[in-house]
Amino acid sequence: MSSACVTADGAAWLASAGTYPRSTLALWDERPDAPVVLPCGSVFDVVSAPAVFGRLMLDRLWDEGPGSGPVAAFRGRTLLFTAPGTAQRLPSLLRWEEYDRKGAIPPLLCHGTGDAVTVPAVLDSASPTSSGTRWLVAPDTRLPWLPGPEILLWAAVRAARATVRISIFPPQDQDAKVYDVSRRR
């Protein structure tokens, strides 16, 4: 995985999502520890997953797949930066795959056009800031590769399969009466 250090090119890419990129860069020059709220939809979309499931998705992307774009942690969620349009397309792919009906994939919040997200500060920090944000995979180029909806679907399905516990015992009937047969004579 990439480091958690945002480069100057990575900061420029992030700032390009905002209405006033030069103002955002100036803020980061003055306060590199300041998180910023940026709009989604034109430069990137963000898929927000519960922290543990998001880390499982990230592990699948790096261990078995093509890697990921930038990824942040924010208040108990993992924010996966994705290609624009992913937020609109991913929910219908999940419904088509029927994983969301089975409860195997927890609710993924998809942020696209019209939404905004808090991105961590550009300052290199291994621990979360006071806002609870930090980079897991920091942007390090002006044109980072961003996964699309199909790749995120693949990662979510793989992560869901990794969390399934397989048992040789049938599921218990919650209304069944249980008898202790070990004391039979």
Side-chain angles (χ1 to χ4, degrees):
M1 279 190 235
S2 182
S3 72
C5 181
V6 177
T7 64
D9 284 345
W13 172 74
L14 281 170
S16 72
T19 307
Y20 304 104
R22 289 189 312 202
S23 296
T24 302
L25 289 172
L27 170 68
W28 276 331
D29 280 342
E30 202 173 295
R31 293 201 44 224
D33 60 337
V36 174
V37 176
L38 292 174
C40 299
S42 62
V43 174
F44 55 77
D45 280 359
V46 172
V47 173
S48 172
V52 173
F53 191 79
R55 287 304 297 251
L56 286 171
M57 287 177 65
L58 185 59
D59 289 346
R60 295 299 163 270
L61 286 167
W62 282 99
D63 294 346
E64 304 168 20
S68 73
V71 179
F74 180 71
R75 296 185 180 168
R77 308 274 308 170
T78 301
L79 307 179
L80 298 125
F81 286 69
T82 64
T86 299
Q88 181 182 2
R89 182 82 175 109
L90 183 59
S92 61
L93 288 176
L94 285 167
R95 279 191 301 278
W96 178 75
E97 192 70 28
E98 295 188 0
Y99 269 90
D100 66 339
R101 289 188 206 143
K102 296 176 186 174
I105 296 176
L108 301 178
L109 306 177
C110 298
H111 304 284
T113 303
D115 298 324
V117 294
T118 300
V119 300
V122 295
L123 181 66
D124 182 20
S125 174
S127 61
T129 63
S130 60
S131 66
T133 65
R134 68 183 172 101
W135 288 107
L136 301 176
V137 179
D140 58 2
T141 178
R142 285 184 187 264
L143 294 171
W145 176 80
L146 299 171
E150 295 83 5
I151 292 172
L152 265 284
L153 172 67
W154 172 87
V157 169
R158 290 286 176 119
R161 286 181 184 160
T163 62
V164 172
R165 302 275 189 260
I166 298 174
S167 173
I168 60 170
F169 300 105
Q172 292 181 343
D173 181 0
Q174 298 301 323
D175 296 327
K177 293 183 180 181
V178 178
Y179 300 98
D180 181 3
V181 294
S182 64
R183 296 180 187 213
R184 276 189 169 171
R185 294 182 190 196

